Amino acid sequence: MEILVKELTVLVNIFCFLVPVIPVTLKIAVVSFILALILGLIVALMKVSHFGIFKLTARVYVDVIRGIPLLVQIFFIYFGLGKILNLEQLPASILAISICYSAYLGEIIRAGIEAIPKGQVDASRSLGMNTYQTMRYIVLPQAFRIVLPPISNEFIACLKDTSLVSIIGLRELTRAGREYYSQYFVDFETWFMVGLIYLAMTVALSKVSHFIETKYKIT
Amino acid sequence: MILIDNISKYFGNTVALENVSCEIRTSEITAVIGPSGGGKTTLLRCINGLELPDSGEISVDGIVLTKKTAGIIRKEVGMVFQQFNLFPHLSVLRNVTIAQQVVKRKKTIEAEETASSLLQKVGLEDKITCYHCQLSGGQQQRVAIARALALNPKIMLFDEPTSNLDPEMTKEVLNVIRNLAKEGMTMIIASHEMGFAQEVANKILFMDNGTIVEEGTPQEIFNSPKHDRTIRFLSKIIRC
Ligand SMILES: Nc1ncnc2c1ncn2[C@@H]1O[C@H](COP(=O)(O)OP(=O)(O)O)[C@@H](O)[C@H]1O
Ligand SMILES: [Mg+2]
């Protein structure tokens, strides 16, 4: 009984220590992901465009980014580019994650756009809508519904990948866990609690994305 | 008036249209008949600028169709497709209002009024407010007709509008087209409904292998076809 109470106290202490940094992790994930979505949409539109030079640029971009581990990209941007551009840890982290995820999201969005039947574009154009209007009102809204599930998976992956930036010293959830551990040397409890918090966030996110998916389903 | 001057269209090695010329006058109803693969769809898509011919020229009301003018011409020319191609992410009403709002920049209320009266005209007044509703093929095609009419086009193109429909639904859709004919709408209708073509059309084009093999009044084509291929096609249709 005494042991149980002691154990619980330790866990509660760790939890209270970690709670203030949860917003940092969420902020990195959300801001990076929004930027990645914007970049990814641009990449996807370049890939489906009729201009060879756009297609090629987008293809090279995606292949290069997807071929390099995110951790190396973080090092490159923080230690390499960061020195030149004078980037702090937070902007460097956000930049690295958003670039990395834009390549994956770009491919997902492109596949979504290509999944829309050609007849939809024909109908839209026959109604006098131009290329931009067709994308904006007909193709993208339908593609959005198709890519929603894979995109929410990517967001969950992105949230977990924010732990990588702990390595350049940004004080997010994983970094705070390491701090706690090096102060009190309770490894099992610390990493159990860190893991539990990530798990709680990802489970909550999949619930939210499931809700959005049902809301926007085409019947 | 539509002037089609010696147009050809190829898809790789496939000939879709070869040296096709014809003239469609205002208020005239032209039925395009012929075996599948004959070039009916391609001809209609070219008139709407969805395909640009490889050679030759199309002009609609004096405007020569090019990539640049296609947008202007499409506001004058409505098209109805074999596969309906309704926008599944939009309500019935929104399907009919979207082009009015986006292309013609009409106000929502105005666009919705137009849409309601068009949906009423095609017999779908009970579907105006329904969202995510299951529509039968015939209902979908009638929404598609209302959608194309919403821009107030001078010319309507129908690409086998009933070939995906069962007889009951075919009747619904043909009635809508019949009413348009009474109003004097200029129409080009690709169709396998020979009876209907004979009834509403002023002119029949028989197409095969990408060319207009024979052209004439319904009487000429159905009662005394001149060309071998026309005779063979019509006898096959009548036999089955
Ligand atoms: N997008 C396309 N790509 C390749 N071939 C095509 C395409 N569209 C039509 N064709 C070909 O062009 C010919 C005419 O087709 P189409 O105009 O659809 O005839 P129809 O509507 O009379 O059945 C056919 O041989 C068809 O296979
Ligand atoms: Mg066809």
Side-chain angles (χ1 to χ4, degrees), chain A residues 19-59:
Chain A
V19 161
V21 290
I22 293 176
V24 180
T25 285
L26 284 174
K27 185 165 94 186
I28 303 169
V30 170
V31 175
S32 308
F33 202 73
I34 290 171
L35 290 175
L37 275 173
I38 297 167
L39 274 175
L41 181 60
I42 295 170
V43 169
L45 290 175
M46 283 169 78
K47 276 210 161 184
V48 299
S49 83
H50 296 293
F51 298 103
I53 181 79
F54 283 173
K55 271 186 198 301
L56 183 71
T57 314
R59 211 181 77 204

Side-chain angles (χ1 to χ4, degrees), chain A residues 197-212:
Chain A
I197 294 174
Y198 277 114
L199 183 65
M201 289 194 286
T202 53
V203 168
L205 276 173
S206 28
K207 288 267 178 287
V208 171
S209 73
H210 186 75
F211 173 77
I212 300 175

Side-chain angles (χ1 to χ4, degrees), chain B residues 140-151:
Chain B
Q140 288 187 53
Q141 193 59 299
R142 284 183 286 152
V143 174
I145 293 173
R147 178 177 72 174
L149 289 172
L151 291 182

Side-chain angles (χ1 to χ4, degrees), chain A residues 118-130 133 137-139 141-142 145 215-219, chain B residues 45 48-50 71 74 77 79 81 85-90 98-99 102-103 105 132 134 147-148 151:
Chain A
K118 229 188 128 275
Q120 291 290 306
V121 176
D122 286 343
S124 172
R125 288 177 53 207
S126 81
L127 291 167
M129 290 198 241
N130 61 31
Q133 292 163 339
Y137 296 102
I138 306 302
V139 177
Q142 293 183 61
R145 288 159 169 82
K215 196 176 160 204
Y216 283 103
K217 204 143 117 205
I218 299 177
T219 45
Chain B
R45 288 174 65 86
N48 201 261
L50 289 176
R74 286 190 192 117
V77 182
M79 180 148 182
F81 301 86
N85 297 343
L86 286 189
F87 304 132
H89 62 301
L90 302 177
I98 185 143
V102 171
V103 177
R105 310 228 161 269
H132 280 184
Q134 300 291 328
R147 178 177 72 174
L151 291 182

Side-chain angles (χ1 to χ4, degrees), chain A residues 51-78:
Chain A
F51 298 103
I53 181 79
F54 283 173
K55 271 186 198 301
L56 183 71
T57 314
R59 211 181 77 204
V60 171
Y61 176 83
V62 169
D63 287 351
V64 168
I65 302 295
R66 286 205 304 191
I68 302 170
L70 176 53
L71 187 58
V72 175
Q73 292 181 43
I74 293 170
F75 284 155
F76 179 76
I77 286 177
Y78 183 60

Side-chain angles (χ1 to χ4, degrees), chain B residues 43-59:
Chain B
L43 179 66
L44 294 182
R45 288 174 65 86
C46 281
I47 294 171
N48 201 261
L50 289 176
E51 308 283 356
L52 290 174
D54 295 318
S55 65
E57 200 176 85
I58 298 177
S59 65

Side-chain angles (χ1 to χ4, degrees), chain B residues 4-184:
Chain B
I4 295 167
D5 185 13
N6 206 24
I7 62 166
S8 300
K9 176 79 192 174
Y10 308 93
F11 295 102
N13 289 329
T14 315
V15 179
L17 293 176
E18 195 151 54
N19 305 325
V20 171
S21 296
C22 70
E23 195 183 313
I24 281 116
R25 289 190 212 91
T26 307
S27 287
E28 198 173 57
I29 296 167
T30 307
V32 187
I33 61 169
S36 67
K40 303 181 291 296
T41 299
T42 309
L43 179 66
L44 294 182
R45 288 174 65 86
C46 281
I47 294 171
N48 201 261
L50 289 176
E51 308 283 356
L52 290 174
D54 295 318
S55 65
E57 200 176 85
I58 298 177
S59 65
V60 178
D61 286 336
I63 306 169
V64 175
L65 183 81
T66 61
K67 219 173 185 168
K68 283 217 181 76
T69 58
I72 305 166
I73 287 177
R74 286 190 192 117
K75 287 177 207 168
E76 308 284 305
V77 182
M79 180 148 182
V80 172
F81 301 86
Q82 193 173 353
Q83 328 281 349
F84 325 135
N85 297 343
L86 286 189
F87 304 132
H89 62 301
L90 302 177
S91 68
V92 168
L93 186 68
R94 185 98 174 107
N95 260 278
V96 187
T97 59
I98 185 143
Q100 300 181 63
Q101 293 179 274
V102 171
V103 177
K104 294 224 160 152
R105 310 228 161 269
K106 275 207 217 167
K107 291 204 182 67
T108 311
I109 305 175
E110 219 183 311
E112 286 181 352
E113 265 170 27
T114 309
S116 307
S117 71
L118 284 172
L119 285 167
Q120 213 153 2
K121 189 169 158 180
V122 299
L124 289 173
E125 50 274 16
D126 53 328
K127 301 288 179 195
I128 289 171
T129 52
C130 102
Y131 196 81
H132 280 184
C133 34
Q134 300 291 328
L135 298 178
S136 71
Q139 290 171 331
Q140 288 187 53
Q141 193 59 299
R142 284 183 286 152
V143 174
I145 293 173
R147 178 177 72 174
L149 289 172
L151 291 182
N152 203 14
K154 297 200 187 109
I155 300 156
M156 285 284 282
L157 310 175
F158 291 87
D159 186 13
E160 299 193 30
T162 59
S163 58
N164 282 337
L165 302 178
D166 63 35
E168 195 53 36
M169 293 192 271
T170 297
K171 225 162 72 188
E172 299 168 359
V173 171
L174 293 185
N175 274 333
V176 170
I177 301 176
R178 234 176 235 123
N179 287 336
L180 287 175
K182 281 184 202 138
E183 290 168 20

